[in-house]
Amino acid sequence: MNSFNFDNIGNTAIAVRFQCDECETTIESDEIRIPSPDFSAETTSDSQTENYGEAVCPNPKCGKEFTIDIFSTFSGGSGCINELPDDKSVEIIETPDPDYETEYDAIFSNTDFFLTFQTEINNLDELNKITLPNPLVEMVLKRQIFVGVITAMEAYLSAAFIHTTLNKDEYTEKFVATFKAFKDRKITLSEVFKVHKTIKDFCKKEMLDIVYHRLSVVKNMYKDTLNVDIGDIAEVAKAVNIRHDLVHRSGATKEGKGVSIDKAAVDKLIATVVQFIEAIELQIVLFE
């Protein structure tokens, strides 16, 4: 196990870069959001919060997977890569805190999040009709369209949840009552009024930090907060896993087998995602 430290104050996320211990290929993880420590805790150990991420060796002949755990306390941030020997050097790439208000305003001001989704899907559908003379280039295009469809789905799930939840106090209260980051947080009686004044800011940050393609988490959130059943996620979750292979393994599975994406595969994905989102939108419209 390889351990490292980072600055958890002033940064919103980190990524790690290191060499695979099996094939020496350079690996860089996705960004991992840094959770805020529990500021109501009385000791450093009690203030610890945690998050995790993954990294995959891009070498198709290797494909080793690594789990990255990070911890945030009063005294700073630390982490470990479970599958990496401690003699390997790890570079920490820190992402400074963004302007959450700007990011939130961009999402919250988009009240036509379903129309935005439809427009993006229609554009991707038009791109999918293009046939290129070079089969290899066309294959790359189809992969990018496939990834784009998943991104459009994530954008809708994010905007719809954030806008609907923060638009009504009753949904905000349900989110605070049921979301794990809040359920595990303790406050003293003297902090009640201070926390009450800033609770929506906490909600904004937590909602923006959620990875919306983790559909099992999103499914519970929608149900607990909005009483919206997003339905069977199995088919869409398979597509998310394929997107993972396309983005992180250059179009290969962890066994090194190439992932074939053609026009028919994209057509099927678009139909599946549109049906999935339309069923959610139908329930959300009933709130208005």
Side-chain angles (χ1 to χ4, degrees), residues 70-142:
I70 66 170
F71 309 94
S72 181
T73 70
F74 291 157
S75 62
S78 62
C80 62
I81 305 174
N82 296 312
E83 298 80 7
L84 187 68
D86 59 8
D87 60 344
K88 288 287 184 179
S89 62
V90 176
E91 179 185 355
I92 310 300
I93 306 164
E94 298 176 336
T95 303
D97 270 324
D99 185 345
Y100 274 96
E101 285 300 323
T102 300
E103 188 177 351
Y104 167 76
D105 288 343
I107 292 175
F108 197 74
S109 63
N110 178 21
T111 57
D112 294 326
F113 38 81
F114 183 61
L115 178 60
T116 300
F117 167 77
Q118 288 179 310
T119 301
E120 184 67 10
I121 289 296
N122 288 338
N123 290 338
L124 291 167
D125 186 47
E126 287 300 312
L127 275 176
N128 194 40
K129 295 174 183 177
I130 295 174
T131 300
L132 299 176
N134 187 326
L136 292 178
V137 176
E138 181 169 357
M139 180 182 65
V140 173
L141 175 63
K142 300 308 182 190

Side-chain angles (χ1 to χ4, degrees), residues 27 37 68 90 116-117 133 156 188 190 196 200 205 277:
I27 302 170
I68 305 148
V90 176
T116 300
F117 167 77
Y156 171 88
T188 62
S190 63
H196 182 265
K200 281 205 171 183
K205 185 177 186 303
I277 295 300

Side-chain angles (χ1 to χ4, degrees), residues 138-156:
E138 181 169 357
M139 180 182 65
V140 173
L141 175 63
K142 300 308 182 190
R143 287 177 179 176
Q144 294 304 315
I145 298 170
F146 192 101
V147 172
V149 175
I150 298 299
T151 301
M153 178 191 74
E154 288 183 77
Y156 171 88

Side-chain angles (χ1 to χ4, degrees), residues 21 58 99 111 121 143 186 193 215 274:
D21 61 305
D99 185 345
T111 57
I121 289 296
R143 287 177 179 176
K186 298 178 178 64
F193 288 104
L215 294 177
V274 167

Side-chain angles (χ1 to χ4, degrees), residues 5-36:
N5 296 305
F6 60 90
D7 184 2
N8 64 336
I9 304 300
N11 292 310
T12 187
I14 65 165
V16 294
R17 185 185 292 129
F18 57 92
Q19 287 188 318
C20 178
D21 61 305
E22 294 193 0
C23 68
E24 299 300 320
T25 300
T26 299
I27 302 170
E28 184 172 325
S29 73
D30 286 339
E31 283 192 345
I32 307 168
R33 290 282 188 175
I34 301 171
S36 299

Side-chain angles (χ1 to χ4, degrees), residues 209-228:
D209 283 351
I210 291 163
V211 178
Y212 283 85
H213 65 242
R214 290 182 179 172
L215 294 177
S216 59
V217 174
V218 172
K219 183 178 178 70
N220 290 334
M221 251 174 27
Y222 266 78
K223 184 64 176 176
D224 293 341
T225 302
L226 305 176
N227 198 29
V228 167

